[in-house]
Amino acid sequence: NFDYEERVVADPDYQFDRSPYTAQIAAIDSILAQYMPIVECGAMDPDELLPEFSAALKAAGSDEISEANRTQNDAYLASKSE
């Protein structure tokens, strides 16, 4: 499964609340299962495959999840500094 906490989150206590995004996460997991074997073994030309793969992830909500993660992380960090 995709690491929705993104590698840039430095605080190990931070946990992304995935519950509002279950449909998007399921769609992204399905896309990853479809594309990753092709990507990993180099079965297609990356110049053709990667734009299609990226567009599928975006259509499934990857940008929304990424933005929500940033927002939640910012709120978490702000609450720790109070």
Side-chain angles (χ1 to χ4, degrees), residues 4 25 32 38 40 46 54 56 58 66 70 73:
Y4 299 101
I25 290 170
L32 291 172
I38 299 167
E40 290 170 347
S54 179
K58 286 179 183 285
S66 182
R70 278 188 215 89
N73 187 50

Side-chain angles (χ1 to χ4, degrees), residues 8-9 12 14 20 41-42 50 70-71 81:
V8 298
V9 175
Y14 168 72
C41 73
L50 294 181
R70 278 188 215 89
T71 301
S81 66

Side-chain angles (χ1 to χ4, degrees), residues 33-81:
Q34 175 186 351
Y35 282 91
M36 287 311 294
I38 299 167
V39 170
E40 290 170 347
C41 73
M44 284 185 65
D45 179 358
D47 290 336
E48 294 176 24
L49 180 66
L50 294 181
E52 178 183 318
F53 184 26
S54 179
L57 290 171
K58 286 179 183 285
S62 64
D63 288 342
E64 179 183 359
I65 291 171
S66 182
E67 182 59 34
N69 185 36
R70 278 188 215 89
T71 301
Q72 288 180 27
N73 187 50
D74 289 347
Y76 171 77
L77 292 174
S79 73
K80 285 186 70 171
S81 66

